[in-house]
Amino acid sequence: MKHFAVWALLMALVSGLCACSEKPCEKSSFLINGFETDGDLDRLNWKCRTLFALSDKGVTQGRSSLELTMTPSLYPGVSFRDYPRSWSCFSALGLSVFNPGSEAVTMTLRIDDKEEEPEYEDRVNLRIVIGPGMNRIRIPFHRLVCPSGRKLDTDHVFSLMFFCVSPPAEVVLYLDDLRLGDLVD
């Protein structure tokens, strides 16, 4: 019986130490998607008028990026699955976008912090201009404000997407290294 009590005490100590060492807030960043494998493509929401492929163009980490081909339609783009629903341990969202074209492309970053699809005024819709060449985008969370003036609730993120609004012609961009973190350039 004495050995059982000592063993139980040791197990409790080890469990407590493991639990303390795995706090999510101790991570400096979290990779949402690095676009390295077909499995990474499966973590995207597929929709008409947008094509996804892995590419070796515009790579900033790893071996590949996401080739995002958006054809003329209302809101072609990409939305993501499999990311933390709470972003409160981080201070920014970052990604790299390579624009092979000669003209800037305006994208919209949409983030919903309500599970039911919120009205336009009650969700983040941040316009981002993607210039020709490589663009390293770092968005501090203090910029994530709804049109109503309400700040994004980073404890409850239900939707994350990038899209163009009615592009007049096909747009091709290469996305890489989408991550949460305390991102400093």
Side-chain angles (χ1 to χ4, degrees):
M1 191 65 153
K2 181 179 171 186
H3 293 291
F4 177 75
V6 170
W7 180 81
L9 180 61
L10 283 174
M11 291 306 293
L13 282 171
V14 168
S15 295
L17 288 173
C18 288
C20 290
S21 67
E22 293 181 12
K23 292 180 183 174
C25 290
E26 291 179 0
K27 293 181 180 180
S28 62
S29 70
F30 179 88
L31 182 66
I32 293 174
N33 203 317
F35 310 108
E36 295 298 317
T37 67
D38 289 341
D40 289 334
L41 295 179
D42 290 339
R43 296 174 43 229
L44 306 174
N45 289 319
W46 293 76
K47 60 192 240 180
C48 293
R49 303 290 186 181
T50 304
L51 301 174
F52 304 133
L54 296 177
S55 175
D56 61 359
K57 295 180 184 172
V59 176
T60 56
Q61 66 85 37
R63 297 176 321 275
S64 59
S65 66
L66 174 68
E67 181 178 339
L68 178 63
T69 303
M70 297 171 283
T71 59
S73 59
L74 193 54
Y75 300 112
V78 59
S79 62
F80 299 88
R81 296 185 299 210
D82 293 340
Y83 54 84
R85 297 298 179 214
S86 175
W87 295 3
S88 61
C89 294
F90 306 104
S91 62
L93 177 69
L95 77 152
S96 299
V97 183
F98 178 70
N99 176 357
S102 59
E103 300 288 323
V105 174
T106 300
M107 297 282 298
T108 298
L109 165 65
R110 176 179 166 179
I111 304 174
D112 298 352
D113 60 1
K114 298 182 188 247
E115 196 163 6
E116 299 298 319
E117 189 166 319
E119 296 293 323
Y120 178 84
E121 291 295 314
D122 205 26
R123 63 184 185 226
V124 170
N125 290 283
L126 183 65
R127 301 257 189 283
I128 302 169
V129 176
I130 310 297
M134 182 56 73
N135 297 259
R136 289 208 181 266
I137 299 166
R138 303 294 180 254
I139 304 165
F141 289 167
H142 68 81
R143 287 189 53 210
L144 299 178
V145 179
C146 302
S148 67
R150 183 180 65 79
K151 286 187 168 187
L152 178 76
D153 178 1
T154 58
D155 275 328
H156 303 96
V157 177
F158 294 100
S159 180
L160 169 64
M161 61 187 82
F162 289 94
F163 60 90
C164 285
V165 177
S166 301
E170 182 177 274
V171 174
V172 177
L173 298 172
Y174 299 87
L175 280 60
D176 201 15
D177 196 26
L178 177 63
R179 69 177 56 241
L180 298 167
D182 299 322
L183 306 168
V184 180
D185 281 337

